[in-house]
Amino acid sequence: MGSGGHSSGKRKSKTLSSTKEGEVLKRAPHTKPPFTLGELRKAIPPHCFKRSVARSFSYVFFDLIIASIFAYVAINYFWNLPHNLSFLAWPLYWFAQGAVMTGVWVIAHECGHHAFSDYQWLDDLVGFILHSFLLVPYFSWKHSHRRHHSNTGSVDRDEVFVPKRRSTIRWYTKYLNNPVGRTLTLSVTLFFGWPLYLAFNVSGRKYDRFACHYDPYGPIYSDRERFQIFLSDVGVLAALYGIYRLVLAQGLVWTLCVYGMPLAVVNALLVLITYLQHTHPSLPHYDSNEWEWFKGALSTIDRDYGWILNKVLHHITDTHVTHHLFSTMPHYHAMEATNAIKPILREYYQFDGTPIYKALWREAKECMYVEPDDDSDNKGVLWYNKL
C-alpha cells in the first residue's frame, strides 16, 4: 500500500506539472482587445510616467561603482590566485561583470527611448557614451529599435528576431534539429548573434539590398538620420581605439579577461533576453493584412530570471509587456505599472516563469517557424511550429 500511495502521489504531481505547462503554453488572444491603450494608461498611477534625472543617474552611478569594484578585485587579486582557484574566479567575474554591464546597456537602451530624463539631448549624450563603451552604435541602434517598437509582431515589417516562414527554412536546418545541432545553434546565436545583427542584419528585417547598422547610407536609415549614424560609428571607433591602447599597455590576455569576456556575456545576455521576450509558443505573429500596432505590442512575454538578475537587469526581463505599451516610462516605475494593468489585460498579458535554461531549449525546439493554422479561416495570424 505504501508503494501504491507513493506512485499515486507521483502521478498527481506529474498531472499538476503538465496542467501548469499547458496553461503557460496556451495561445494568447489574437483578436482586437476589449480595452484601449488609453484605458491602460488611466489605470497606471500618474507618477509612473515621470522621469527623474537624479534617480536615473543614481542607477548609472550605482552600476558603474559595482562594475569598478568587480574590475578592481579581478585586476589586483585574481592574477595571483592558484591555478585551480583562478579557473573558478575568472568565469565568476565574467558572468557577474557581464550582468552588471548588461544593466548599463539597459540604461542606455532607456536613453534611446527618451525614458531617462525629460531632456532629449541628455538622454542621447548618456546613451551615446554608455553604448559606445559597450561597442554599440547608439544612434544606429536607436533608430532601428524604434522601428521594432513600431512594428512588433509583424512578419513583414518588424526589425529584429523576425520569425521564418516554413518556405524560407534553409536546407541544412533539418540536420541541426537535434540536441547537438541545437546546442551549436544556440551557442552561435548567443555569443555571435548581436555583432552579426549589427554588421550583417542577421535575424533582422529583409531589405532589397545589404543592410548594416554601421552604414549611414544603408536601407535601414533615412536621410535625416545619416549624420547620427556617422556619429555612432565615431563612438564605436573611439572605443575600439581605447581598447587597442589598452592591449598595448596591458596585453591581449589582460584585456580579454578584464573587458572582453564580460562584454561577450553582455552580448549573450542581450540576445537571450530579447529572443525570449519575443519567442514563445503562445505568441501570435501577423501579416500586413492582420497586423495592428496594439495587437503587436501585446505579442510579447515577460520572463522571470530570478530576483537578483531581474534587479541587476533593471526589470527589462519581467516588465517587457509594459515597456512595449509605454516605452518612455522609466524602468523604476515599470513593475508598479505592470501590476496596475494586469487586471485589465487579463489573458492578453503573457508571463512564463519556466526556468530560463529550460525555456531557451524549449523555444529553440518548438519555435522553428511561423505559419497560419491549416484549419483556420484567418491566414493572417501565424503561430510558431516545430519541424
Side-chain angles (χ1 to χ4, degrees), residues 99-128:
V100 173
M101 290 169 63
T102 303
V104 174
W105 196 104
V106 170
I107 294 174
H109 156 270
E110 191 151 283
C111 293
H113 281 290
H114 194 22
F116 186 82
S117 75
D118 292 335
Y119 310 99
Q120 184 68 66
W121 67 268
L122 181 60
D123 288 22
D124 285 340
L125 178 62
V126 173
F128 176 73

Side-chain angles (χ1 to χ4, degrees), residues 55-131:
R55 188 168 182 182
S56 293
F57 266 117
S58 72
Y59 288 97
V60 176
F61 294 144
F62 182 81
D63 284 356
L64 294 180
I65 289 171
I66 296 299
S68 298
I69 292 172
F70 284 169
Y72 177 85
V73 171
I75 293 168
N76 289 279
Y77 297 102
F78 283 13
W79 300 111
N80 300 320
L81 290 173
H83 284 297
N84 57 335
L85 291 179
S86 179
F87 288 136
L88 174 65
W90 279 111
L92 288 175
Y93 164 75
W94 295 337
F95 181 80
Q97 185 74 298
V100 173
M101 290 169 63
T102 303
V104 174
W105 196 104
V106 170
I107 294 174
H109 156 270
E110 191 151 283
C111 293
H113 281 290
H114 194 22
F116 186 82
S117 75
D118 292 335
Y119 310 99
Q120 184 68 66
W121 67 268
L122 181 60
D123 288 22
D124 285 340
L125 178 62
V126 173
F128 176 73
I129 293 172
L130 296 180
H131 261 177

Side-chain angles (χ1 to χ4, degrees), residues 8-287:
S8 175
K10 287 180 67 176
R11 284 197 300 270
K12 182 178 180 181
S13 176
K14 186 174 181 181
T15 301
L16 289 174
S17 177
S18 300
T19 301
K20 185 177 181 181
E21 183 177 2
E23 292 175 356
V24 166
L25 300 179
K26 181 181 178 181
R27 286 181 171 181
H30 60 83
T31 54
K32 185 175 181 179
F35 48 83
T36 66
L37 186 65
E39 289 171 338
L40 294 178
R41 179 180 286 273
K42 288 179 181 178
I44 298 173
H47 72 264
C48 289
F49 295 97
K50 294 182 179 180
R51 298 163 289 203
S52 166
V53 172
R55 188 168 182 182
S56 293
F57 266 117
S58 72
Y59 288 97
V60 176
F61 294 144
F62 182 81
D63 284 356
L64 294 180
I65 289 171
I66 296 299
S68 298
I69 292 172
F70 284 169
Y72 177 85
V73 171
I75 293 168
N76 289 279
Y77 297 102
F78 283 13
W79 300 111
N80 300 320
L81 290 173
H83 284 297
N84 57 335
L85 291 179
S86 179
F87 288 136
L88 174 65
W90 279 111
L92 288 175
Y93 164 75
W94 295 337
F95 181 80
Q97 185 74 298
V100 173
M101 290 169 63
T102 303
V104 174
W105 196 104
V106 170
I107 294 174
H109 156 270
E110 191 151 283
C111 293
H113 281 290
H114 194 22
F116 186 82
S117 75
D118 292 335
Y119 310 99
Q120 184 68 66
W121 67 268
L122 181 60
D123 288 22
D124 285 340
L125 178 62
V126 173
F128 176 73
I129 293 172
L130 296 180
H131 261 177
S132 296
F133 175 76
L134 297 173
L135 301 184
V136 178
Y138 169 73
F139 291 105
S140 308
W141 163 85
K142 172 185 173 180
H143 293 310
S144 68
H145 190 66
R146 184 185 69 247
R147 293 185 178 91
H148 159 63
H149 271 257
S150 299
N151 298 283
T152 305
S154 169
V155 294
D156 301 313
R157 296 189 304 274
D158 203 350
E159 281 290 335
V160 66
F161 280 117
V162 182
K164 295 181 176 65
R165 302 285 191 107
R166 178 152 195 160
S167 59
T168 64
I169 294 288
R170 300 295 182 90
W171 62 270
Y172 54 78
T173 304
K174 62 181 179 181
Y175 299 107
L176 297 173
N177 189 30
N178 53 69
V180 175
R182 203 168 295 123
T183 300
L184 176 62
T185 301
L186 285 173
S187 299
V188 172
T189 300
L190 289 177
F191 289 101
F192 300 101
W194 176 240
L196 286 174
Y197 168 66
L198 292 178
F200 304 105
N201 199 39
V202 173
S203 83
R205 175 183 174 182
K206 301 303 179 185
Y207 288 93
D208 57 2
R209 58 190 178 91
F210 178 71
C212 170
H213 279 73
Y214 304 103
D215 180 8
Y217 297 98
I220 301 176
Y221 307 110
S222 64
D223 290 339
R224 66 182 179 84
E225 296 167 344
R226 304 205 191 283
F227 173 75
Q228 291 187 329
I229 312 308
F230 275 115
L231 194 59
S232 298
D233 292 347
V234 170
V236 172
L237 288 173
L240 287 172
Y241 179 73
I243 295 169
Y244 167 72
R245 298 296 300 182
L246 196 59
V247 171
L248 292 181
Q250 300 291 344
L252 179 60
V253 173
W254 188 98
T255 305
L256 285 174
C257 286
V258 175
Y259 174 81
M261 293 304 294
L263 183 64
V265 172
V266 173
N267 293 344
L269 282 175
L270 173 61
V271 173
L272 171 69
I273 292 166
T274 309
Y275 174 73
L276 291 181
Q277 285 169 340
H278 297 281
T279 308
H280 193 272
S282 72
L283 296 180
H285 283 73
Y286 306 96
D287 69 10

Side-chain angles (χ1 to χ4, degrees), residues 109-110 112-115 149 293 322-330:
H109 156 270
E110 191 151 283
H113 281 290
H114 194 22
H149 271 257
W293 179 85
T322 296
H323 172 64
H324 263 270
L325 294 169
F326 306 103
S327 60
T328 60
M329 178 185 294

